[in-house]
Amino acid sequence: MANLSKDQIDAQLKKAGVATTKEVDISFDDINSFGSKDSIRKMFKSAANYNQMLSERLTLINESLTAAIPFTRENLYLFCAYTGSGKSTVAANISYPLWKQKKKVLIISNEEPELDVIFRIACLEKGYKFNDFKKGRMSQEQQMECFRLFEDITEYVKVIDVVYKDGITTKIEGVKKLMENVKGQGFSCVLIDYYQLIKDSINDKERTRYDVLNDLRVWLGQYIKGCEIPVVLFVQLYSQGKRPSKDIDMRIKECSAIVEPASVIIEIVPNIEEEYSDFIIHKDRFGVAGSRIMCPFRNGRFLKQQTERERTERKLDKLVAPVPQAVSIGGLGNTLSTGADYDAGQKLAKMS
Amino acid sequence: MPTANLDLIYEKWKASLREKDRSREFVSANFDELFDAFNSAGATFEEAHAYLQQAIKVHLPAPGLAKATWKMVKNNPVNSEMTEKEFIDGWHKDIGDKATNSFYHVYPLPEDKDDDKEPKVYGSMSAKEYKLQRRHAESYPILNTEELEKDLQCNAYNPTEDILGEDDNG
């Protein structure tokens, strides 16, 4: 091995956090200069940079969520839900306003096919129920209206689905490669739907699902630090019935350590009778953890939270309204349950 | 399982760690021993999980030891691209990962079998399941987003310009 020069040794020491003697000479003047105009300017500049990062926030679904949770670069956002509680609906709701603002989005979907991902967004634009399409209840005219939007939507919303290249969206190497490739390509964000289905490794077929997921979470932690866009990861939860706990990591399936690299963790819990979903904020580096935002649900869209007064009026309206004979699941319930369930998603991934 | 019993098992394990070989190849075995003991004593998943983080913490190397180890290995070519912090963080992470693997090996997550035989009336949920989910959600206070929405209308604040009154270029 060649000998290192003094400069190279110094550089290595500096990199290792071991400063040379000359560099660690600190005088009293150095300490006393804290509080000088220069040092204050430096702190103000850091504050300005942080404010700049916050001001670059993207729209997150609606005004309420955008205001509460800065959706911005260098952050990993987890959206967690029990099966059938609206993960894919939320993915469409995140993509929809970004498409309207002509911002590029990459959706890595290892559960839903590309047609469904794009059709959901088209339905949001038209105000149609996506589930009507899935159940064959949507008229030909309405379908045509949606299909006409496909060219425009797909110009901005890029989908890599479960059948793409023999199912690389379920393989850790495939997901890493896709995400490396979008760096610096003008995308506004990446959505991965969903975490637990990235369960295989091309390079090592013997790896357990836990190992693969754990490897991915470590890699994601490093990726987001050097990435100019936010990453949204959808995560499957156990229900309160199966795991009665307030701790989100106790309810995350397969690899709960994914909570570590996440800046924000939001749980989605639908209220089907009253047609809204609660977005419970479990972790948030921006300071609103431990609370929830109630977003009314209309034709697939999560609308902004109502004011306290509006919520009270709505409750009073319900009190005077006739009692329904049976709980309708034709609206929200059906729409939310259209996301294939966990087992079905796994089967689909295996088939691919 | 009474917590006192688990505390005792944990404290016993913690004390025995001082005598144990804590080098890389023995880390998993050390954690296996703890979680096996919990399992044999009849501790549930939740009860045992409560000890995971503290068990990891006590297995981490002492700062002095970590620093001394770094000094010994830093000239090794395989560590040439690494800083001391990265080396120690990697060490900690390896212990954490091994502990987590060990825990889930002893306490595997149950298969997601749908043992709720009641009819699914709320999407994928039975009435009972749905009620529990709603109770959970409603235990959180509602965030007042009106003020936050108003704040968002304001532009990004730059104290360099606003307080020092100058355009800072450096």
Side-chain angles (χ1 to χ4, degrees):
Chain A
M1 205 175 92
N3 287 334
L4 296 174
S5 68
K6 190 178 177 306
D7 285 349
Q8 285 172 316
I9 292 168
D10 282 349
Q12 285 298 319
L13 283 171
K14 195 173 176 185
K15 198 173 174 189
V18 185
T20 58
T21 314
K22 193 183 166 191
E23 284 173 305
V24 292
D25 278 345
I26 300 170
S27 67
F28 177 72
D29 286 347
D30 289 335
I31 299 167
N32 211 33
S33 70
F34 183 78
S36 67
K37 199 171 176 184
D38 274 352
S39 75
I40 289 175
R41 184 183 285 115
K42 203 173 154 193
M43 286 190 277
F44 284 177
K45 206 170 176 186
S46 297
N49 286 341
Y50 184 74
N51 284 340
Q52 179 65 27
M53 189 264 280
L54 295 184
S55 74
E56 286 169 12
R57 72 176 76 188
L58 298 160
T59 302
L60 181 62
I61 302 175
N62 57 38
E63 296 94 320
S64 306
L65 284 158
T66 304
I69 313 276
F71 185 33
T72 184
R73 60 184 150 92
E74 296 165 42
N75 290 296
L76 174 66
Y77 299 78
L78 301 190
F79 278 84
C80 312
Y82 177 55
T83 182
S85 294
K87 285 193 302 298
S88 299
T89 312
V90 169
N93 270 267
I94 293 173
S95 310
Y96 174 70
L98 298 174
W99 161 58
K100 295 294 283 179
Q101 293 162 17
K102 301 195 180 301
K103 290 189 164 79
K104 277 172 81 177
V105 178
L106 171 68
I107 303 177
I108 300 173
S109 171
N110 48 32
E111 183 176 51
E112 284 206 318
E114 57 189 21
L115 167 66
D116 287 5
V117 175
I118 299 299
F119 212 104
R120 278 182 188 276
I121 299 169
C123 284
L124 293 180
E125 171 69 357
K126 288 290 166 190
Y128 299 150
K129 287 180 180 166
F130 171 72
N131 209 41
D132 285 349
F133 166 67
K134 291 304 283 181
K135 294 197 166 185
R137 291 182 192 149
M138 187 179 276
S139 72
Q140 202 176 331
E141 290 74 27
Q142 287 180 330
Q143 286 189 39
M144 280 307 294
E145 285 179 50
C146 289
F147 285 130
R148 281 192 200 104
L149 292 170
F150 270 39
E151 198 176 334
D152 191 39
I153 296 172
T154 53
E155 189 181 342
Y156 296 98
V157 181
K158 307 292 177 186
V159 183
I160 305 293
D161 74 2
V162 69
V163 295
Y164 182 78
K165 292 199 176 173
D166 293 329
I168 63 161
T169 55
T170 62
K171 301 187 172 65
I172 185 168
E173 294 85 355
V175 172
K176 284 181 182 177
K177 187 80 183 161
L178 285 167
M179 294 183 70
E180 287 293 356
N181 285 347
V182 296
K183 267 188 176 176
Q185 298 299 314
F187 279 82
S188 65
C189 71
V190 179
L191 277 61
I192 306 172
D193 185 10
Y194 62 88
Y195 178 52
Q196 284 91 347
L197 282 184
I198 306 167
K199 58 189 177 48
D200 298 317
S201 165
I202 297 167
N203 298 335
D204 183 359
K205 292 188 168 43
E206 299 302 309
R207 293 185 83 182
T208 63
R209 175 184 280 211
Y210 178 84
D211 280 344
V212 172
L213 292 170
N214 197 39
D215 182 356
L216 179 65
R217 69 105 188 163
V218 173
W219 182 85
L220 274 172
Q222 290 157 354
Y223 176 86
I224 52 166
K225 282 179 200 158
C227 190
E228 78 283 10
I229 56 174
V231 175
V232 177
L233 183 62
F234 291 89
V235 174
Q236 273 254 353
L237 290 183
Y238 287 105
S239 69
Q240 282 293 325
K242 293 189 180 77
R243 287 276 165 99
S245 173
K246 281 200 120 179
D247 295 336
I248 195 79
D249 62 330
M250 289 288 285
R251 290 188 293 122
I252 288 178
K253 287 182 178 175
E254 309 288 353
C255 182
S256 58
I258 188 64
V259 298
E260 284 171 26
S263 317
V264 172
I265 304 178
I266 297 173
E267 179 183 1
I268 312 150
V269 182
N271 185 324
I272 292 161
E273 294 122 318
E274 295 183 32
E275 298 197 341
Y276 68 85
S277 277
D278 280 307
F279 290 78
I280 306 170
I281 305 156
H282 287 279
K283 181 178 177 185
D284 168 40
R285 67 178 277 204
F286 308 104
V288 291
S291 55
R292 65 181 160 130
I293 299 173
M294 297 166 65
C295 296
F297 192 88
R298 297 281 176 278
N299 291 332
R301 277 284 284 147
F302 289 111
L303 308 176
K304 67 178 274 192
Q305 177 168 259
Q306 292 174 313
T307 61
E308 202 174 340
R309 187 178 169 161
E310 286 168 336
R311 288 198 298 273
T312 311
E313 283 172 359
R314 198 174 162 193
K315 268 188 187 169
L316 287 171
D317 285 348
K318 289 223 176 258
L319 283 174
V320 294
V323 178
Q325 293 301 304
V327 175
S328 165
I329 57 165
L332 173 69
N334 278 351
T335 312
L336 290 178
S337 65
T338 50
D341 68 22
Y342 185 63
D343 292 332
Q346 286 175 312
K347 278 175 199 155
L348 191 63
K350 274 182 194 161
M351 279 163 60
S352 70
Chain B
M1 179 79 197
T3 313
N5 291 357
L6 296 184
D7 282 345
L8 197 65
I9 293 171
Y10 173 72
E11 290 301 332
K12 213 169 145 186
W13 175 82
K14 192 173 148 186
S16 73
L17 262 187
R18 289 183 205 121
E19 313 298 322
K20 284 187 195 307
D21 189 338
R22 290 157 71 175
S23 56
R24 187 183 293 246
E25 59 267 42
F26 293 95
V27 175
S28 293
N30 292 342
F31 285 109
D32 286 348
E33 196 177 295
L34 173 68
F35 297 125
D36 279 338
F38 279 157
N39 199 23
S40 304
T44 62
F45 178 98
E46 284 78 12
E47 286 168 340
H49 190 269
Y51 289 86
L52 178 59
Q53 289 309 319
Q54 45 186 318
I56 293 171
K57 212 171 166 185
V58 296
H59 205 298
L60 297 180
L65 174 71
K67 215 172 176 63
T69 310
W70 167 247
K71 276 182 185 164
M72 279 168 62
V73 301
K74 69 182 179 187
N75 292 326
N76 188 322
V78 294
N79 296 322
S80 63
E81 294 293 307
M82 206 180 268
T83 64
E84 182 180 350
K85 188 179 179 308
E86 285 167 346
F87 173 76
I88 295 172
D89 285 351
W91 190 350
H92 288 189
K93 189 190 149 307
D94 184 57
I95 291 171
D97 287 349
K98 281 179 175 154
T100 311
N101 269 324
S102 168
F103 176 80
Y104 284 106
H105 180 70
V106 179
Y107 286 95
L109 286 168
E111 287 294 311
D112 193 23
K113 281 179 192 155
D114 192 359
D115 46 11
D116 187 356
K117 302 292 176 206
E118 291 180 42
K120 310 292 182 209
V121 288
Y122 295 97
S124 316
M125 290 174 272
S126 67
K128 187 181 157 196
E129 191 82 78
Y130 175 73
K131 205 173 161 186
L132 288 167
Q133 290 286 99
R134 286 307 315 153
R135 194 182 296 162
H136 162 65
E138 282 156 21
S139 69
Y140 289 85
I142 299 166
L143 182 69
N144 182 352
T145 51
E146 286 169 67
E147 284 300 313
L148 296 168
E149 284 169 38
K150 276 180 209 159
D151 290 347
L152 191 58
Q153 307 303 320
C154 305
N155 291 326
Y157 174 53
N158 184 342
T160 319
E161 290 170 16
D162 294 348
I163 296 179
L164 296 179
E166 57 191 85
D167 187 18
D168 184 80
N169 293 319

